[in-house]
Amino acid sequence: MLSKLLRAAVLSTGAAIATAFLTPAAFAAASDYRFELASARPAGPGKTDVTVRLVRARDGGPVPDAVIFQTKADMAPAGMPTMTGNVAPRAGQQPGTYRFQVDTGMAGGWALTLSAKVQGEPETVRATVNFNAAQ
Ligand SMILES: [Cu+2]
């Protein structure tokens, strides 16, 4: 009886360890996440309000509470990589979305490049999201 209980305990401990190794967090990498454009709206002359969504690549689920520590905006999509615009963070509207006001002094194609720290993910997630600025 005792040995049976002991065996069950050992088995369940083993199962717990196996489960821990199989959780997505254990295998997570920066490529498990992606940024998507949620919206790009004019926000006054030469300014665009850009909202991006951070999602898990696996199931498209939102990833809240990421820390976006580096941003850059330029007109590389329009063949002007040296034309840059200031990026200022704004409060996001819903969990998993991140919002910025970008100084888009020129209408056309812009790229917003982001570096982010995701909770529980040691690798930095980097991505570029293209958007269009109206004037
Ligand atoms: Cu330009």
Side-chain angles (χ1 to χ4, degrees):
M1 181 63 185
L2 182 66
S3 71
K4 207 171 178 185
L5 275 176
L6 201 66
R7 218 174 115 235
V10 168
L11 278 176
S12 68
T13 305
I17 291 169
T19 306
F21 277 106
L22 286 171
T23 53
F27 292 123
S31 58
D32 292 341
Y33 305 92
R34 66 166 185 269
F35 279 99
E36 299 173 340
L37 180 67
S39 67
R41 297 193 178 94
K47 290 185 189 301
T48 306
D49 195 285
V50 180
T51 298
V52 296
R53 199 181 295 119
L54 178 59
V55 300
R56 279 188 303 266
R58 181 166 44 90
D59 58 7
V63 181
D65 303 323
V67 177
I68 297 178
F69 63 93
Q70 205 171 53
T71 52
K72 179 178 174 267
D74 63 55
M75 286 196 82
M80 289 172 269
T82 58
M83 187 169 184
T84 58
N86 190 55
V87 183
R90 292 284 184 269
Q93 309 292 346
Q94 36 183 282
T97 65
Y98 303 85
R99 198 176 140 227
F100 306 90
Q101 190 169 84
V102 184
D103 288 345
T104 46
M106 185 177 174
W110 283 78
L112 177 62
T113 301
L114 309 151
S115 298
K117 279 287 174 201
V118 174
Q119 303 296 316
E121 169 52 55
E123 279 182 45
T124 295
V125 177
R126 290 178 220 278
T128 299
V129 176
N130 290 351
F131 66 95
N132 206 64
Q135 216 62 52

